[in-house]
Amino acid sequence: MWQTRVNKIWQMSKWFVGGGVLSVLFYDNVGYVHTVRGRSMSPTLNPGPTRTLLRERVWLSKFSFTPLVDDIVVFRSPKHGNRLAMKRVAATAGQTIVPSKLMKSGGSPVLIKPGYVWVEADNRDTAGRDSNEYGQLHEKMIVGKVTWLLWPWSRIQDLRKTQPPYFRLNDQTESDQTASISEQTKLFPEG
C-alpha cells in the first residue's frame, strides 16, 4: 500500500520536474511576457496618465536576431548591474547619429562601431539610461526583441510595425528631421 503511494508521488514529481525544465527552456530560448515600467517609451508604450496604466505587458522574443533601426529591445544596463532596460534601436553598426542630448546644442555625430547599436527612449522628456548616458551598447547586452503589446487588451498590437516618434540618422537632412518631428506631433499630440 505504501509502495503505491510512493509510486504515485514519484510519477507526479516527474511531471512537475519535467514541466519546470520545459518552462526554463522556454523562458531562456523562446521568450516571455515582460512588464513595461516607466514612461521612457511613451507614447508607444505606457502612454497613460496614471500609475495604474504604466504597467503594460509585452512579448519579449528571445530568438536570435540582428538588431535593426526601430526595433524595441530589452537589454542589460551596462552601468546598473543586471537591471533590464527597454529602448528603441536608433542606429546600428556603420551608421552615424546625432545623440538626442546633443541635438539642441549642435553636437557632433557618433559613428556606430561594428557589433554595437545606439538605443534611445521614445519619450525625450523622461529619457534616461540610454546611449546618451552610457554610449554605444554592445549587441551581446541585448536580451531580446519586443514584438507584441499584449496588455491592456484594448491596445494589443504588433510592435514590430511601430515607428519611433523621431530619430535623426545623420543621412537625414534637417528639413527631413523637422518634418518627421512635426508629423509625429500630429500622431501623438500632447495632453
Side-chain angles (χ1 to χ4, degrees), residues 15-131:
W15 279 102
F16 283 118
V17 169
V21 168
L22 287 176
S23 296
V24 168
L25 287 172
F26 190 87
Y27 178 88
D28 284 345
N29 298 298
V30 178
Y32 63 93
V33 176
H34 183 79
T35 302
V36 181
R37 290 179 169 74
R39 296 180 140 293
S40 69
M41 290 303 293
S42 178
T44 308
L45 299 169
N46 283 346
T50 63
R51 297 281 294 157
T52 58
L53 297 177
L54 295 177
R55 293 283 187 254
E56 290 187 329
R57 307 298 194 272
V58 295
W59 179 255
L60 178 65
S61 175
K62 296 184 87 175
F63 287 120
S64 179
F65 75 101
T66 302
L68 301 173
V69 172
D70 293 346
D71 284 348
I72 300 173
V73 295
V74 172
F75 56 92
R76 297 201 184 285
S77 177
K79 290 190 177 180
H80 301 94
N82 282 333
R83 290 184 68 181
L84 296 179
M86 179 184 301
K87 302 292 183 255
R88 190 181 296 269
V89 176
T92 59
Q95 294 179 319
T96 56
I97 185 169
V98 177
S100 63
K101 286 192 176 178
L102 298 177
M103 187 76 160
K104 294 177 185 174
S105 63
S108 59
V110 175
L111 175 64
I112 308 302
K113 300 182 283 191
Y116 287 80
V117 297
W118 189 270
V119 295
E120 289 195 2
D122 282 1
N123 185 346
R124 299 291 186 248
D125 296 331
T126 61
R129 295 194 177 114
D130 62 10
S131 289

